[in-house]
Amino acid sequence: MLILNPEIDERQVPVALDKFLKVITTDGGTIENIDIWGRRRLAYEIQKKNEGIYAVVNFTATSATTAELDRQLNLNEQIMRTKVLRAEEAIAQVAAEKQRAEAKAARKAAAPAKAAKA
């Protein structure tokens, strides 16, 4: 996942990503999916900006290729943040977040019932 500078035109995002993703394809890796989420509000300010353009890329590559991709992304000024996860870790994080959200919803549902009894 990466967050790009919001000053970039959203139509230019795939072009900007392609030059970085060539690192993966030239080393024999494959790109399964590129999902551009578009402009989103950030949870906190990054580089004095409140928005960013999110993109999620699913790919298969060696660890050396992944490290090189991450290094090149971090050197570019258009890229505000990057996060590289293994698929297993990402799936586990999504499942844990879903479980936390369900527990929070259950607590909220139980809170009005307690207030009504009191």
Side-chain angles (χ1 to χ4, degrees), residues 6-63:
E7 295 167 1
I8 299 172
D9 184 18
E10 288 188 48
R11 294 174 290 193
Q12 298 300 320
V13 172
V15 176
L17 289 177
D18 281 342
K19 67 180 176 181
F20 293 115
L21 299 179
K22 285 182 184 175
V23 172
I24 295 170
T25 55
T26 56
D27 284 346
T30 58
I31 299 169
E32 283 98 39
N33 185 24
I34 300 174
D35 188 15
I36 299 172
W37 293 2
R39 193 175 306 270
R40 302 275 174 113
R41 185 161 181 77
L42 300 172
Y44 54 90
E45 207 172 80
I46 300 174
Q47 299 173 358
K48 298 184 180 181
K49 292 177 179 50
N50 293 321
E51 290 184 331
I53 300 172
Y54 282 72
V56 178
V57 180
N58 294 327
F59 63 91
T60 303
T62 63
S63 60

Short mmCIF file of all heavy atoms in Angstrom, two decimals, residues 6-63:
data_model
loop_
_atom_site.label_atom_id
_atom_site.label_comp_id
_atom_site.label_asym_id
_atom_site.label_seq_id
_atom_site.Cartn_x
_atom_site.Cartn_y
_atom_site.Cartn_z
N PRO A 6 -1.33 14.38 -2.69
CA PRO A 6 -2.63 14.72 -3.28
C PRO A 6 -2.55 15.75 -4.39
O PRO A 6 -3.53 15.96 -5.11
CB PRO A 6 -3.44 15.24 -2.09
CG PRO A 6 -2.42 15.77 -1.15
CD PRO A 6 -1.22 14.86 -1.31
N GLU A 7 -1.40 16.39 -4.56
CA GLU A 7 -1.26 17.39 -5.61
C GLU A 7 -1.09 16.76 -7.00
O GLU A 7 -1.19 17.43 -8.01
CB GLU A 7 -0.08 18.31 -5.28
CG GLU A 7 -0.34 19.12 -4.02
CD GLU A 7 0.91 19.79 -3.49
OE1 GLU A 7 1.99 19.67 -4.11
OE2 GLU A 7 0.81 20.44 -2.45
N ILE A 8 -0.86 15.44 -7.03
CA ILE A 8 -0.75 14.72 -8.31
C ILE A 8 -2.15 14.57 -8.90
O ILE A 8 -3.10 14.30 -8.18
CB ILE A 8 -0.14 13.32 -8.08
CG1 ILE A 8 1.25 13.43 -7.49
CG2 ILE A 8 -0.11 12.53 -9.38
CD1 ILE A 8 1.82 12.09 -7.06
N ASP A 9 -2.25 14.72 -10.20
CA ASP A 9 -3.52 14.47 -10.88
C ASP A 9 -3.81 12.97 -10.79
O ASP A 9 -2.95 12.14 -11.08
CB ASP A 9 -3.43 14.92 -12.34
CG ASP A 9 -4.75 14.78 -13.07
OD1 ASP A 9 -5.80 14.68 -12.40
OD2 ASP A 9 -4.73 14.78 -14.31
N GLU A 10 -5.04 12.61 -10.38
CA GLU A 10 -5.38 11.20 -10.18
C GLU A 10 -5.25 10.38 -11.46
O GLU A 10 -5.05 9.18 -11.40
CB GLU A 10 -6.79 11.08 -9.60
CG GLU A 10 -6.85 11.51 -8.14
CD GLU A 10 -8.18 11.21 -7.49
OE1 GLU A 10 -8.67 10.08 -7.63
OE2 GLU A 10 -8.71 12.13 -6.84
N ARG A 11 -5.36 11.01 -12.61
CA ARG A 11 -5.20 10.28 -13.87
C ARG A 11 -3.74 9.89 -14.10
O ARG A 11 -3.46 9.00 -14.89
CB ARG A 11 -5.71 11.12 -15.04
CG ARG A 11 -7.22 11.35 -14.96
CD ARG A 11 -7.65 12.29 -16.04
NE ARG A 11 -7.11 13.62 -15.66
CZ ARG A 11 -7.48 14.76 -16.22
NH1 ARG A 11 -8.33 14.75 -17.20
NH2 ARG A 11 -6.97 15.90 -15.82
N GLN A 12 -2.81 10.56 -13.42
CA GLN A 12 -1.38 10.28 -13.59
C GLN A 12 -0.88 9.20 -12.62
O GLN A 12 0.25 8.76 -12.73
CB GLN A 12 -0.57 11.56 -13.38
CG GLN A 12 -0.88 12.65 -14.38
CD GLN A 12 -0.58 12.19 -15.81
OE1 GLN A 12 0.39 11.52 -16.07
NE2 GLN A 12 -1.47 12.54 -16.73
N VAL A 13 -1.72 8.77 -11.70
CA VAL A 13 -1.30 7.79 -10.70
C VAL A 13 -0.87 6.46 -11.33
O VAL A 13 0.21 5.95 -11.01
CB VAL A 13 -2.39 7.58 -9.63
CG1 VAL A 13 -2.04 6.43 -8.71
CG2 VAL A 13 -2.58 8.86 -8.83
N PRO A 14 -1.65 5.87 -12.25
CA PRO A 14 -1.19 4.60 -12.85
C PRO A 14 0.16 4.73 -13.57
O PRO A 14 0.99 3.83 -13.50
CB PRO A 14 -2.30 4.25 -13.84
CG PRO A 14 -3.50 4.97 -13.34
CD PRO A 14 -2.98 6.23 -12.71
N VAL A 15 0.38 5.86 -14.23
CA VAL A 15 1.64 6.09 -14.93
C VAL A 15 2.79 6.18 -13.93
O VAL A 15 3.86 5.59 -14.13
CB VAL A 15 1.56 7.38 -15.77
CG1 VAL A 15 2.89 7.69 -16.43
CG2 VAL A 15 0.46 7.28 -16.80
N ALA A 16 2.56 6.88 -12.82
CA ALA A 16 3.58 7.01 -11.78
C ALA A 16 3.89 5.65 -11.16
O ALA A 16 5.06 5.34 -10.88
CB ALA A 16 3.13 7.99 -10.71
N LEU A 17 2.87 4.83 -10.95
CA LEU A 17 3.08 3.51 -10.36
C LEU A 17 3.82 2.57 -11.30
O LEU A 17 4.65 1.77 -10.86
CB LEU A 17 1.74 2.89 -9.96
CG LEU A 17 1.03 3.50 -8.77
CD1 LEU A 17 -0.30 2.82 -8.56
CD2 LEU A 17 1.88 3.41 -7.53
N ASP A 18 3.52 2.66 -12.59
CA ASP A 18 4.12 1.74 -13.56
C ASP A 18 5.65 1.79 -13.55
O ASP A 18 6.31 0.76 -13.65
CB ASP A 18 3.61 2.01 -14.97
CG ASP A 18 2.23 1.41 -15.21
OD1 ASP A 18 1.84 0.51 -14.43
OD2 ASP A 18 1.56 1.84 -16.15
N LYS A 19 6.21 2.99 -13.42
CA LYS A 19 7.67 3.07 -13.46
C LYS A 19 8.29 2.42 -12.23
O LYS A 19 9.38 1.87 -12.31
CB LYS A 19 8.14 4.51 -13.64
CG LYS A 19 7.88 5.45 -12.51
CD LYS A 19 8.41 6.83 -12.86
CE LYS A 19 8.06 7.81 -11.78
NZ LYS A 19 8.53 9.14 -12.08
N PHE A 20 7.59 2.42 -11.09
CA PHE A 20 8.11 1.74 -9.90
C PHE A 20 7.90 0.24 -9.99
O PHE A 20 8.75 -0.55 -9.58
CB PHE A 20 7.42 2.27 -8.64
CG PHE A 20 7.76 3.68 -8.33
CD1 PHE A 20 6.80 4.66 -8.37
CD2 PHE A 20 9.06 4.04 -8.01
CE1 PHE A 20 7.11 5.97 -8.09
CE2 PHE A 20 9.39 5.36 -7.73
CZ PHE A 20 8.41 6.32 -7.78
N LEU A 21 6.77 -0.17 -10.55
CA LEU A 21 6.44 -1.59 -10.60
C LEU A 21 7.28 -2.34 -11.64
O LEU A 21 7.30 -3.56 -11.64
CB LEU A 21 4.96 -1.76 -10.85
CG LEU A 21 4.06 -1.16 -9.76
CD1 LEU A 21 2.60 -1.36 -10.09
CD2 LEU A 21 4.38 -1.75 -8.39
N LYS A 22 8.00 -1.61 -12.50
CA LYS A 22 8.91 -2.25 -13.43
C LYS A 22 10.02 -2.98 -12.68
O LYS A 22 10.57 -3.94 -13.18
CB LYS A 22 9.49 -1.23 -14.41
CG LYS A 22 8.52 -0.80 -15.47
CD LYS A 22 9.15 0.17 -16.43
CE LYS A 22 8.08 0.65 -17.42
NZ LYS A 22 8.59 1.68 -18.30
N VAL A 23 10.35 -2.51 -11.49
CA VAL A 23 11.35 -3.18 -10.65
C VAL A 23 10.93 -4.63 -10.40
O VAL A 23 11.75 -5.55 -10.45
CB VAL A 23 11.53 -2.43 -9.31
CG1 VAL A 23 12.41 -3.21 -8.35
CG2 VAL A 23 12.08 -1.05 -9.55
N ILE A 24 9.65 -4.83 -10.15
CA ILE A 24 9.14 -6.17 -9.86
C ILE A 24 9.20 -7.05 -11.11
O ILE A 24 9.69 -8.17 -11.08
CB ILE A 24 7.69 -6.09 -9.33
CG1 ILE A 24 7.68 -5.38 -7.99
CG2 ILE A 24 7.09 -7.48 -9.20
CD1 ILE A 24 6.30 -5.03 -7.50
N THR A 25 8.70 -6.53 -12.23
CA THR A 25 8.62 -7.34 -13.44
C THR A 25 9.99 -7.63 -14.03
O THR A 25 10.19 -8.71 -14.59
CB THR A 25 7.72 -6.67 -14.49
OG1 THR A 25 8.19 -5.35 -14.76
CG2 THR A 25 6.29 -6.62 -14.03
N THR A 26 10.95 -6.72 -13.92
CA THR A 26 12.28 -6.97 -14.47
C THR A 26 13.02 -8.04 -13.67
O THR A 26 13.88 -8.72 -14.22
CB THR A 26 13.14 -5.69 -14.52
OG1 THR A 26 13.22 -5.12 -13.23
CG2 THR A 26 12.57 -4.70 -15.51
N ASP A 27 12.71 -8.20 -12.39
CA ASP A 27 13.36 -9.22 -11.57
C ASP A 27 12.57 -10.53 -11.55
O ASP A 27 12.84 -11.40 -10.74
CB ASP A 27 13.55 -8.72 -10.14
CG ASP A 27 14.70 -7.73 -10.03
OD1 ASP A 27 15.49 -7.62 -10.98
OD2 ASP A 27 14.81 -7.07 -8.98
N GLY A 28 11.58 -10.67 -12.43
CA GLY A 28 10.86 -11.94 -12.54
C GLY A 28 9.62 -12.04 -11.67
O GLY A 28 8.98 -13.09 -11.63
N GLY A 29 9.24 -10.98 -10.98
CA GLY A 29 8.03 -11.00 -10.16
C GLY A 29 6.79 -10.75 -11.00
O GLY A 29 6.88 -10.44 -12.20
N THR A 30 5.63 -10.90 -10.38
CA THR A 30 4.38 -10.66 -11.09
C THR A 30 3.52 -9.69 -10.29
O THR A 30 3.57 -9.66 -9.07
CB THR A 30 3.58 -11.96 -11.29
OG1 THR A 30 3.31 -12.54 -10.02
CG2 THR A 30 4.33 -12.94 -12.15
N ILE A 31 2.73 -8.92 -11.01
CA ILE A 31 1.80 -7.98 -10.39
C ILE A 31 0.40 -8.54 -10.60
O ILE A 31 -0.06 -8.67 -11.73
CB ILE A 31 1.94 -6.58 -11.01
CG1 ILE A 31 3.35 -6.06 -10.78
CG2 ILE A 31 0.90 -5.63 -10.41
CD1 ILE A 31 3.70 -4.83 -11.56
N GLU A 32 -0.26 -8.91 -9.50
CA GLU A 32 -1.59 -9.50 -9.60
C GLU A 32 -2.69 -8.46 -9.74
O GLU A 32 -3.63 -8.63 -10.51
CB GLU A 32 -1.89 -10.37 -8.37
CG GLU A 32 -1.21 -11.73 -8.39
CD GLU A 32 0.06 -11.74 -7.58
OE1 GLU A 32 0.08 -11.12 -6.50
OE2 GLU A 32 1.02 -12.37 -8.02
N ASN A 33 -2.59 -7.36 -8.97
CA ASN A 33 -3.69 -6.41 -8.94
C ASN A 33 -3.17 -5.03 -8.52
O ASN A 33 -2.35 -4.92 -7.62
CB ASN A 33 -4.76 -6.89 -7.95
CG ASN A 33 -5.99 -6.02 -7.96
OD1 ASN A 33 -6.28 -5.34 -8.93
ND2 ASN A 33 -6.72 -6.03 -6.86
N ILE A 34 -3.69 -4.00 -9.18
CA ILE A 34 -3.44 -2.61 -8.76
C ILE A 34 -4.80 -2.00 -8.49
O ILE A 34 -5.63 -1.90 -9.38
CB ILE A 34 -2.70 -1.81 -9.85
CG1 ILE A 34 -1.34 -2.45 -10.16
CG2 ILE A 34 -2.52 -0.37 -9.41
CD1 ILE A 34 -0.62 -1.81 -11.32
N ASP A 35 -5.02 -1.60 -7.24
CA ASP A 35 -6.31 -1.04 -6.84
C ASP A 35 -6.07 0.39 -6.36
O ASP A 35 -5.48 0.60 -5.31
CB ASP A 35 -6.92 -1.90 -5.72
CG ASP A 35 -8.34 -1.49 -5.39
OD1 ASP A 35 -8.95 -0.75 -6.19
OD2 ASP A 35 -8.84 -1.92 -4.34
N ILE A 36 -6.52 1.36 -7.14
CA ILE A 36 -6.35 2.76 -6.78
C ILE A 36 -7.61 3.23 -6.08
O ILE A 36 -8.68 3.28 -6.69
CB ILE A 36 -6.02 3.61 -8.02
CG1 ILE A 36 -4.73 3.10 -8.64
CG2 ILE A 36 -5.92 5.09 -7.64
CD1 ILE A 36 -4.39 3.72 -9.96
N TRP A 37 -7.50 3.53 -4.80
CA TRP A 37 -8.65 3.94 -4.00
C TRP A 37 -9.01 5.39 -4.23
O TRP A 37 -10.12 5.82 -3.91
CB TRP A 37 -8.38 3.72 -2.52
CG TRP A 37 -8.25 2.29 -2.12
CD1 TRP A 37 -8.31 1.18 -2.92
CD2 TRP A 37 -8.03 1.82 -0.80
NE1 TRP A 37 -8.14 0.06 -2.17
CE2 TRP A 37 -7.97 0.41 -0.86
CE3 TRP A 37 -7.87 2.43 0.43
CZ2 TRP A 37 -7.75 -0.37 0.25
CZ3 TRP A 37 -7.66 1.65 1.53
CH2 TRP A 37 -7.61 0.25 1.45
N GLY A 38 -8.07 6.17 -4.71
CA GLY A 38 -8.35 7.58 -4.95
C GLY A 38 -7.99 8.45 -3.75
O GLY A 38 -7.34 8.03 -2.80
N ARG A 39 -8.48 9.67 -3.78
CA ARG A 39 -8.17 10.66 -2.75
C ARG A 39 -8.96 10.35 -1.48
O ARG A 39 -10.18 10.21 -1.53
CB ARG A 39 -8.52 12.04 -3.28
CG ARG A 39 -7.99 13.19 -2.47
CD ARG A 39 -8.31 14.51 -3.16
NE ARG A 39 -7.84 14.54 -4.54
CZ ARG A 39 -6.63 14.96 -4.90
NH1 ARG A 39 -5.80 15.39 -4.01
NH2 ARG A 39 -6.29 14.97 -6.18
N ARG A 40 -8.25 10.25 -0.37
CA ARG A 40 -8.88 9.97 0.93
C ARG A 40 -8.30 10.91 1.99
O ARG A 40 -7.18 11.35 1.89
CB ARG A 40 -8.59 8.53 1.39
CG ARG A 40 -9.03 7.44 0.45
CD ARG A 40 -10.48 7.13 0.70
NE ARG A 40 -10.99 6.18 -0.27
CZ ARG A 40 -11.37 4.95 0.00
NH1 ARG A 40 -11.32 4.51 1.22
NH2 ARG A 40 -11.83 4.18 -0.95
N ARG A 41 -9.09 11.14 3.00
CA ARG A 41 -8.64 11.95 4.13
C ARG A 41 -7.71 11.10 4.99
O ARG A 41 -7.99 9.94 5.26
CB ARG A 41 -9.83 12.42 4.94
CG ARG A 41 -9.48 13.37 6.05
CD ARG A 41 -10.73 14.13 6.50
NE ARG A 41 -10.45 15.05 7.54
CZ ARG A 41 -9.86 16.22 7.37
NH1 ARG A 41 -9.48 16.60 6.17
NH2 ARG A 41 -9.63 17.03 8.39
N LEU A 42 -6.61 11.68 5.44
CA LEU A 42 -5.64 10.97 6.27
C LEU A 42 -6.08 10.99 7.73
O LEU A 42 -6.74 11.93 8.17
CB LEU A 42 -4.26 11.61 6.14
CG LEU A 42 -3.66 11.64 4.74
CD1 LEU A 42 -2.38 12.47 4.74
CD2 LEU A 42 -3.39 10.25 4.24
N ALA A 43 -5.70 9.99 8.48
CA ALA A 43 -6.02 9.94 9.91
C ALA A 43 -5.25 11.02 10.66
O ALA A 43 -5.72 11.54 11.67
CB ALA A 43 -5.68 8.57 10.47
N TYR A 44 -4.07 11.35 10.18
CA TYR A 44 -3.27 12.42 10.77
C TYR A 44 -2.48 13.09 9.66
O TYR A 44 -2.30 12.53 8.58
CB TYR A 44 -2.33 11.88 11.87
CG TYR A 44 -1.44 10.76 11.41
CD1 TYR A 44 -0.18 11.01 10.86
CD2 TYR A 44 -1.86 9.44 11.49
CE1 TYR A 44 0.63 9.99 10.43
CE2 TYR A 44 -1.05 8.41 11.07
CZ TYR A 44 0.20 8.69 10.54
OH TYR A 44 1.00 7.66 10.11
N GLU A 45 -2.01 14.28 9.93
CA GLU A 45 -1.32 15.07 8.92
C GLU A 45 0.04 14.46 8.58
O GLU A 45 0.79 14.07 9.48
CB GLU A 45 -1.13 16.49 9.46
CG GLU A 45 -1.04 17.53 8.42
CD GLU A 45 -1.04 18.92 9.01
OE1 GLU A 45 0.03 19.36 9.48
OE2 GLU A 45 -2.11 19.56 9.02
N ILE A 46 0.34 14.34 7.29
CA ILE A 46 1.63 13.87 6.82
C ILE A 46 2.18 14.93 5.89
O ILE A 46 1.51 15.34 4.94
CB ILE A 46 1.51 12.54 6.04
CG1 ILE A 46 0.91 11.45 6.93
CG2 ILE A 46 2.88 12.10 5.51
CD1 ILE A 46 0.62 10.15 6.20
N GLN A 47 3.38 15.42 6.17
CA GLN A 47 4.02 16.46 5.37
C GLN A 47 3.11 17.67 5.19
O GLN A 47 2.97 18.23 4.11
CB GLN A 47 4.45 15.91 4.01
CG GLN A 47 5.45 14.79 4.10
CD GLN A 47 5.73 14.16 2.76
OE1 GLN A 47 5.15 14.53 1.73
NE2 GLN A 47 6.61 13.18 2.75
N LYS A 48 2.39 18.02 6.25
CA LYS A 48 1.47 19.16 6.28
C LYS A 48 0.32 19.01 5.28
O LYS A 48 -0.20 19.98 4.76
CB LYS A 48 2.21 20.47 6.05
CG LYS A 48 3.23 20.76 7.14
CD LYS A 48 3.87 22.10 6.95
CE LYS A 48 4.87 22.32 8.07
NZ LYS A 48 5.52 23.61 8.00
N LYS A 49 -0.08 17.77 5.01
CA LYS A 49 -1.20 17.50 4.12
C LYS A 49 -2.23 16.65 4.84
O LYS A 49 -1.88 15.78 5.63
CB LYS A 49 -0.71 16.79 2.86
CG LYS A 49 0.16 17.70 2.00
CD LYS A 49 0.71 16.96 0.81
CE LYS A 49 1.54 17.83 -0.07
NZ LYS A 49 2.58 18.60 0.55
N ASN A 50 -3.51 16.93 4.59
CA ASN A 50 -4.61 16.21 5.24
C ASN A 50 -5.20 15.12 4.36
O ASN A 50 -6.02 14.34 4.81
CB ASN A 50 -5.72 17.18 5.64
CG ASN A 50 -5.27 18.12 6.72
OD1 ASN A 50 -4.56 17.73 7.64
ND2 ASN A 50 -5.67 19.37 6.62
N GLU A 51 -4.82 15.08 3.08
CA GLU A 51 -5.34 14.09 2.13
C GLU A 51 -4.19 13.40 1.43
O GLU A 51 -3.07 13.91 1.39
CB GLU A 51 -6.22 14.77 1.07
CG GLU A 51 -7.52 15.30 1.58
CD GLU A 51 -8.36 15.86 0.44
OE1 GLU A 51 -7.79 16.33 -0.56
OE2 GLU A 51 -9.59 15.80 0.56
N GLY A 52 -4.51 12.25 0.85
CA GLY A 52 -3.53 11.53 0.05
C GLY A 52 -4.27 10.64 -0.93
O GLY A 52 -5.45 10.35 -0.77
N ILE A 53 -3.57 10.20 -1.95
CA ILE A 53 -4.14 9.28 -2.93
C ILE A 53 -3.64 7.89 -2.59
O ILE A 53 -2.43 7.63 -2.62
CB ILE A 53 -3.74 9.67 -4.37
CG1 ILE A 53 -4.24 11.08 -4.67
CG2 ILE A 53 -4.29 8.67 -5.36
CD1 ILE A 53 -3.74 11.65 -5.98
N TYR A 54 -4.56 7.01 -2.24
CA TYR A 54 -4.21 5.66 -1.81
C TYR A 54 -4.18 4.72 -3.00
O TYR A 54 -5.02 4.78 -3.89
CB TYR A 54 -5.25 5.13 -0.82
CG TYR A 54 -5.11 5.67 0.58
CD1 TYR A 54 -5.43 6.98 0.88
CD2 TYR A 54 -4.66 4.85 1.60
CE1 TYR A 54 -5.31 7.47 2.17
CE2 TYR A 54 -4.54 5.33 2.90
CZ TYR A 54 -4.87 6.64 3.17
OH TYR A 54 -4.74 7.11 4.45
N ALA A 55 -3.20 3.80 -2.98
CA ALA A 55 -3.11 2.75 -3.99
C ALA A 55 -2.64 1.47 -3.30
O ALA A 55 -1.74 1.51 -2.47
CB ALA A 55 -2.15 3.13 -5.10
N VAL A 56 -3.28 0.36 -3.64
CA VAL A 56 -2.91 -0.94 -3.09
C VAL A 56 -2.47 -1.81 -4.26
O VAL A 56 -3.19 -1.95 -5.25
CB VAL A 56 -4.10 -1.60 -2.36
CG1 VAL A 56 -3.71 -2.97 -1.84
CG2 VAL A 56 -4.57 -0.71 -1.23
N VAL A 57 -1.28 -2.39 -4.13
CA VAL A 57 -0.73 -3.23 -5.19
C VAL A 57 -0.46 -4.61 -4.60
O VAL A 57 0.26 -4.74 -3.62
CB VAL A 57 0.58 -2.63 -5.75
CG1 VAL A 57 1.14 -3.51 -6.85
CG2 VAL A 57 0.36 -1.22 -6.25
N ASN A 58 -1.05 -5.63 -5.21
CA ASN A 58 -0.76 -7.01 -4.83
C ASN A 58 0.23 -7.57 -5.84
O ASN A 58 -0.03 -7.54 -7.04
CB ASN A 58 -2.03 -7.87 -4.84
CG ASN A 58 -3.01 -7.43 -3.78
OD1 ASN A 58 -2.62 -6.98 -2.71
ND2 ASN A 58 -4.29 -7.55 -4.08
N PHE A 59 1.36 -8.07 -5.33
CA PHE A 59 2.37 -8.59 -6.23
C PHE A 59 3.10 -9.77 -5.59
O PHE A 59 3.02 -9.98 -4.38
CB PHE A 59 3.38 -7.50 -6.62
CG PHE A 59 4.18 -6.94 -5.49
CD1 PHE A 59 5.41 -7.51 -5.15
CD2 PHE A 59 3.74 -5.86 -4.77
CE1 PHE A 59 6.16 -6.99 -4.11
CE2 PHE A 59 4.48 -5.34 -3.72
CZ PHE A 59 5.70 -5.90 -3.38
N THR A 60 3.79 -10.53 -6.42
CA THR A 60 4.61 -11.64 -5.98
C THR A 60 6.03 -11.35 -6.43
O THR A 60 6.26 -11.09 -7.62
CB THR A 60 4.12 -12.97 -6.60
OG1 THR A 60 2.74 -13.15 -6.26
CG2 THR A 60 4.93 -14.14 -6.08
N ALA A 61 6.97 -11.38 -5.48
CA ALA A 61 8.37 -11.10 -5.81
C ALA A 61 9.26 -11.65 -4.71
O ALA A 61 8.78 -12.01 -3.63
CB ALA A 61 8.58 -9.60 -5.97
N THR A 62 10.54 -11.67 -4.98
CA THR A 62 11.49 -12.10 -3.97
C THR A 62 11.64 -11.01 -2.91
O THR A 62 11.28 -9.85 -3.14
CB THR A 62 12.86 -12.39 -4.60
OG1 THR A 62 13.37 -11.17 -5.15
CG2 THR A 62 12.76 -13.45 -5.68
N SER A 63 12.23 -11.36 -1.79
CA SER A 63 12.40 -10.37 -0.73
C SER A 63 13.38 -9.28 -1.14
O SER A 63 13.22 -8.11 -0.78
CB SER A 63 12.85 -11.03 0.57
OG SER A 63 14.08 -11.71 0.38
#
